[in-house]
Amino acid sequence: MMRFHGFFRSSSAYRCRIALGLKGLEPEFVPVNLRAKEHRSEAYLALNPQGLVPALETGEGVLFQSLAIIEWLEETHPEPPLLPGDALGRARVRGFAQIIACEVHPLQNLRVLNYLRASCGQDQEGCDLWCRHWIAEGLAACEAIAAAESHGGAFTFGARPGLADICLVPQMFSADRFGLDTGPYPRLRAIRDACEALPEFAAAHPARQSDAA
């Protein structure tokens, strides 16, 4: 039996919830309240020494980092696939996903924002301005990549959702949360609309989580 540790508003946990839903999996959920610093507790650090969410207990070991968790799900529960069947296609999807997960998301992470406040003297507007800048830079690249695709499908790389969409939707949610105008990204907006019409994406939305507050 799997046990998933997460926080409703975490983009990384959001990604994993979508992937779990698409794979038809329903692990036991263990909330980790980041605002109450539960991720820094001795018990949680014993589970995940980095002190971040999410973490997935698999019965065979504990996994951490959202992309690693999703890749494990893909390997152990291959249907429906989240990656294309060809090597070039998989690399392109992973590249898109990593723009978000590795370049954009870390700069809006709670620990970074806390550092900006505590050590750099930034108020909330300063932190929001920081986030909008880096999110806009990343989404501009993603828009260009997605708009150049000629497959005609509703999703980033085809007719069914995959890893790229799993990363995109939480990032678009964060863009809204930090007050970024997403009007310049019409293709990304259309992809998000197509994703959010699916029950697996809808069920993973932060507002629908048991720990949402």
Side-chain angles (χ1 to χ4, degrees), residues 3 15 19 39 42 45 67 76 84 106 116 139 158-159 170 180 210 212:
R3 184 176 292 114
R15 292 177 206 135
H39 59 303
E42 183 177 346
L45 288 172
L67 293 188
T76 57
L116 288 173
L139 291 186
L180 177 67
S210 61

Side-chain angles (χ1 to χ4, degrees), residues 107-128:
L107 294 171
Q108 68 182 48
N109 191 284
L110 180 61
R111 61 179 180 167
V112 171
L113 301 184
N114 285 341
Y115 182 83
L116 288 173
R117 295 185 187 98
S119 300
C120 302
Q122 294 298 314
D123 58 12
Q124 187 61 51
E125 178 53 34
C127 291
D128 289 350

Side-chain angles (χ1 to χ4, degrees), residues 7 11 13 101 212:
F7 180 63
S11 294

